[in-house]
């Protein structure tokens, strides 16, 4: 039943996504990876050392984890 109010989980997601976007400029992988096409190509790139060096996925996951950790700690401090 829609009450016109967002669920607390959706509010938290929106907050986390907004903070990630402010820090990184986007939440869209294509943009974060600097890809200029709007549609995935059917042929994947070869998984070479250079391929993994230009993919910031691990760093972006670390940033997301740090943002989540900050919010968990803030929530824990509010509940003390």
């Amino acid at each position: 039943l829609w009450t016109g109010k967002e669920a607390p989980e959706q509010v938290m997601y929106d907050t986390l996504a907004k903070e990630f976007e402010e820090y990184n400029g986007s939440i869209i992988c294509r943009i974060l990876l600097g890809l200029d096409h709007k549609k995935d190509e059917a042929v994947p790139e070869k998984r070479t050392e250079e391929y993994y060096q230009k993919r910031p996925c691990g760093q972006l996951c670390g940033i997301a984890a740090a943002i989540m950790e900050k919010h968990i700690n803030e929530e824990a401090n509010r509940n003390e």
Side-chain angles (χ1 to χ4, degrees):
L1 176 67
W2 174 250
T3 62
K5 295 181 181 178
E6 288 186 279
E9 298 82 11
Q10 185 64 43
V11 172
M12 175 62 84
Y13 170 82
D14 292 345
T15 300
L16 297 171
K18 181 179 178 186
E19 188 169 339
F20 184 90
E21 184 172 22
E22 287 171 355
Y23 190 85
N24 294 293
S26 183
I27 60 169
I28 300 170
C29 289
R30 173 179 44 81
I31 294 170
L32 294 168
L33 296 175
L35 303 175
D36 57 0
H37 56 282
K38 294 186 182 212
K39 185 177 177 186
D40 291 335
E41 296 177 3
V43 180
E45 291 183 53
K46 287 189 175 186
R47 300 308 195 250
T48 63
E49 186 67 30
E50 292 80 24
Y51 171 86
Y52 288 108
Q53 286 180 357
K54 70 180 181 177
R55 304 291 275 206
C57 304
Q59 181 183 8
L60 293 168
C61 288
I63 292 167
I67 291 169
M68 187 70 201
E69 180 180 33
K70 182 182 91 169
H71 284 272
I72 289 170
N73 290 335
E74 287 173 355
E75 184 67 24
N77 289 337
R78 267 196 298 273
N79 292 327
E80 286 183 347

